[in-house]
């Protein structure tokens, strides 16, 4: 229904344009120069339900792992939406201090006014992760994956394995 | 005739009730301090979750077809008019809509469910029983967790119901003696993707946006649950304080 509606919308717009423009192609250009009044400071919000680590703080850079790859965010980043994947979020503060957090999943929003919201389902400082517990959890998750009989159970076990592998990589790689 | 004996018994029973209301007040006070402490970070989280709506100027589409109402109450009473206010707000929205065939409701907590599914005077009258998509009970005993919110959001997504506009009706906590029944709009991902300002966002494909809006729905719902929880505890504290005072007057 929604598809049909958007199609009719598009065809109506096209009909209106036909007289004015011969061929209309969508072309991507280089980014325009940022306007002078654009905020040069980032307003960074990061946390999980029950605990916020940053609230509209000014930071230099944030690196987030997303489903489309890890990327860094500086002030005046192009507006963007992304889904987090399990991995390490690195926050470089204005004075150069680097804080690392592990996040399981969530969302990243970069708005045009340089405000950045990273909302995680669960996020903890990286040094709070226990390598032993991760190893145990990983082997347990793998066993569950072996034993999974239904699609839902298999998907859940796969997610658990993915998160544990990411945690393992984060802890050993630091 | 009120005999002396009867008055004595009545006085004794009022004293006993007072003991109960006093201890309920103490419990509510303890739970309220906890809820208020926990609300502070959650408010920031809620601001973060709704930031996109204001930044991208998301507005409902012109064709208002399917409307979704999520009413947030709980299972437990004895807390003033907090649940009836939610029900009243829902009824007002329904009256405003006129044609309610396309309106669906999700009700959290037994209190609002009993108020909304049947008319209290005429038990035969099915008030909004046909509009209720599902209701959730066994809620309100413990502090709401993010899992509660994601479970409700998951059930909504599983139901296959596609809404064009949505709102969460809940009690926003203002101070220990005051709350305000408010409405928080929520938008599904097709409205998000058709929003005008969405084109300035880079690299938005429908898969990412779907993931994004699903998590956003759970986050916003979690925020409203926490607000409602804090209002409920503060309201119960006031209600039980008043009840104890009234019992003390005899």
């Amino acid at each position: 229904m929604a598809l049909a509606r958007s199609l009719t919308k598009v065809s109506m717009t096209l009909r209106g344009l036909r007289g004015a423009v011969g061929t209309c192609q969508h072309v991507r250009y280089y980014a325009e120069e940022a306007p002078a009044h654009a905020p040069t400071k980032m307003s960074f919000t990061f946390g999980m339900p029950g605990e916020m680590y940053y609230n509209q703080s000014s930071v230099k850079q944030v690196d987030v792992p997303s489903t489309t790859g890890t990327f860094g965010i500086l002030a005046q980043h192009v507006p963007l939406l992304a889904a987090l994947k399990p991995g390490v979020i690195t926050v470089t503060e204005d004075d150069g201090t680097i804080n690392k957090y592990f996040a399981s999943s969530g969302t990243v929003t970069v708005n045009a006014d340089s405000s950045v919201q990273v909302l995680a389902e669960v996020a903890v400082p990286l040094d709070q992760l226990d390598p032993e517990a991760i190893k145990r959890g990983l082997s347990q998750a793998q066993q569950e994956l072996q034993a999974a009989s239904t699609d839902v159970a298999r998907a859940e076990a796969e997610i658990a394995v993915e998160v544990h592998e990411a945690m393992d990589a984060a802890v050993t790689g630091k | 005739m009120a005999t002396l004996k009867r008055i004595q018994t009545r006085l004794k029973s009022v004293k006993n009730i007072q003991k109960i209301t006093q201890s309920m007040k103490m419990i509510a006070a303890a739970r309220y301090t906890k809820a208020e402490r926990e609300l502070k970070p959650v408010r920031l989280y809620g601001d973060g979750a709704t930031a996109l709506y204001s930044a991208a100027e998301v507005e409902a589409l012109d064709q208002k077809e399917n409307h979704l109402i999520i009413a947030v109450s709980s299972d437990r009473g004895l807390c003033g008019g907090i649940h009836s206010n939610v029900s009243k707000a829902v009824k007002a929205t329904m009256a405003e809509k006129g044609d309610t065939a396309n309106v669906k409701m999700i009700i959290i907590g037994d209190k609002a469910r009993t108020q909304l599914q049947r008319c209290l005077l005429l038990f035969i009258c099915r008030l909004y029983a046909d509009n209720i998509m599902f209701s959730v009970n066994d809620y309100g005993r413990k502090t709401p967790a993010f899992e509660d919110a994601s479970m409700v959001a998951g059930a909504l997504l599983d139901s296959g119901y596609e809404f064009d506009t949505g709102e969460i009706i809940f009690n926003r906590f203002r101070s220990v003696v005051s709350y305000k029944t408010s409405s928080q709009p929520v938008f599904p991902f097709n409205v998000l993707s058709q929003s005008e300002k969405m084109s300035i966002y880079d690299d938005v494909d429908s898969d990412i946006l779907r993931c994004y809006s699903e998590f956003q729905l759970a986050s916003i719902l979690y925020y409203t649950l926490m607000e409602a929880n804090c209002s409920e505890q503060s309201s119960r504290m006031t209600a039980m304080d008043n009840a104890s005072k009234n019992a003390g007057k005899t």
Side-chain angles (χ1 to χ4, degrees):
Chain A
M1 189 63 208
L3 186 69
R5 212 184 302 136
S6 65
L7 277 179
T8 45
K9 224 178 190 177
V10 167
S11 66
M12 274 165 69
T13 339
L14 281 181
R15 217 174 295 144
L17 281 176
R18 202 180 288 156
V21 196
T23 49
C24 180
Q25 262 188 341
H26 192 73
V27 187
R28 285 193 64 164
Y29 298 100
Y30 287 110
E32 281 171 26
E33 200 181 329
H37 58 83
T40 49
K41 293 259 180 187
M42 191 173 9
S43 160
F44 179 57
T45 306
F46 167 50
M48 65 178 218
E51 191 164 2
M52 297 304 281
Y53 298 109
Y54 289 91
N55 175 34
Q56 302 183 345
S57 335
S58 165
V59 295
K60 202 184 277 175
Q61 183 181 349
V62 187
D63 296 317
V64 289
S66 86
T67 46
T68 48
T70 304
F71 60 93
I73 306 167
L74 293 161
Q76 296 177 1
H77 191 281
V78 62
L80 174 120
L81 299 177
L84 279 180
K85 80 172 191 188
V88 181
I89 293 177
T90 314
V91 183
T92 315
E93 289 183 11
D94 279 341
D95 58 359
T97 331
I98 293 175
N99 289 330
K100 289 188 174 190
Y101 300 89
F102 183 85
S104 65
S105 58
T107 57
V108 184
T109 319
V110 184
N111 293 313
D113 58 354
S114 276
S115 71
V116 179
Q117 287 96 27
V118 179
L119 302 178
E121 195 172 345
V122 181
V124 287
L126 197 55
D127 49 19
Q128 281 183 17
L129 292 178
D130 176 11
E132 287 302 307
I134 295 169
K135 292 246 155 53
R136 276 200 305 276
L138 181 59
S139 60
Q140 198 192 340
Q142 277 160 343
Q143 275 170 13
E144 274 167 21
L145 184 59
Q146 297 279 324
S149 51
T150 60
D151 283 349
V152 178
R154 192 171 302 122
E156 280 176 357
E158 271 169 8
I159 293 170
V161 170
E162 191 193 347
V163 173
H164 280 94
E165 278 172 354
M167 277 197 284
D168 194 36
V171 172
T172 48
K174 78 173 170 182
Chain B
M1 265 288 279
T3 58
L4 195 60
K5 176 77 178 157
R6 267 197 191 164
I7 293 169
Q8 271 179 337
T9 337
R10 178 96 184 109
L11 275 175
K12 204 174 172 190
S13 103
V14 169
K15 281 273 169 279
N16 285 338
I17 291 170
Q18 190 187 20
K19 275 180 203 156
I20 297 171
T21 54
Q22 259 169 352
S23 54
M24 281 190 77
K25 187 208 151 191
M26 302 275 266
I27 297 166
R31 293 193 62 183
Y32 158 72
T33 12
K34 185 166 171 266
E36 201 208 357
R37 199 177 54 231
E38 285 172 349
L39 184 63
K40 276 176 197 153
V42 175
R43 276 209 165 143
L44 302 176
Y45 193 82
D47 288 346
T50 50
L52 178 73
Y53 288 162
S54 50
E57 290 169 17
V58 182
E59 276 174 15
L61 299 174
D62 293 337
Q63 310 96 324
K64 281 185 184 168
E65 284 169 350
N66 293 342
H67 188 72
L68 174 80
I69 300 177
I70 305 181
V72 182
S73 76
S74 87
D75 284 2
R76 326 193 88 196
L78 295 174
C79 49
I82 206 148
H83 302 312
S84 349
N85 277 335
V86 169
S87 307
K88 267 186 214 159
V90 172
K91 283 175 189 164
T93 319
M94 293 298 265
E96 205 179 290
K97 289 267 166 212
D99 178 23
T100 56
N102 288 329
V103 184
K104 290 276 175 209
M105 292 183 195
I106 296 176
I107 295 175
I108 299 172
D110 272 340
K111 286 288 166 190
R113 184 178 60 86
T114 46
Q115 285 165 3
L116 288 170
Q117 76 178 0
R118 295 245 185 282
C119 182
L120 287 180
L121 290 172
L122 301 158
F123 276 96
I124 341 128
C125 159
R126 291 165 66 81
L127 189 57
Y128 298 126
D130 298 328
N131 296 98
I132 298 178
M133 186 152 59
F134 63 86
S135 59
V136 186
N137 63 357
D138 200 11
Y139 170 81
R141 200 170 288 276
K142 286 186 217 136
T143 317
F146 188 76
E147 283 73 32
D148 298 333
S150 60
M151 220 189 281
V152 175
L156 167 62
L157 296 171
D158 287 345
S159 74
Y161 174 70
E162 284 187 6
F163 57 101
D164 299 310
T165 51
E167 61 180 320
I168 305 177
I169 294 178
F170 69 108
N171 292 305
R172 193 188 297 275
F173 175 74
R174 284 164 77 180
S175 75
V176 64
V177 286
S178 143
Y179 61 88
K180 189 172 190 300
T181 310
S182 328
S183 161
Q184 165 68 48
V186 283
F187 299 101
F189 100 105
N190 55 344
V191 176
L192 270 185
S193 59
Q194 285 173 34
S195 145
E196 238 172 72
K197 280 228 173 169
M198 198 43 84
S199 54
I200 63 165
Y201 286 83
D202 191 31
D203 195 23
V204 179
D205 65 34
S206 66
D207 208 28
I208 291 180
L209 201 58
R210 189 179 280 274
C211 269
Y212 184 94
S213 65
E214 285 174 5
F215 188 79
Q216 192 182 30
L217 176 68
S219 307
I220 294 176
L221 193 56
Y222 172 70
Y223 157 69
T224 57
L225 291 182
M226 291 299 276
E227 286 270 3
N229 176 51
C230 192
S231 315
E232 186 188 321
Q233 298 306 339
S234 75
S235 174
R236 177 171 294 123
M237 194 168 80
T238 324
M240 286 301 111
D241 190 31
N242 289 338
S244 311
K245 271 185 202 153
N246 291 342
K249 277 179 192 159
T250 49

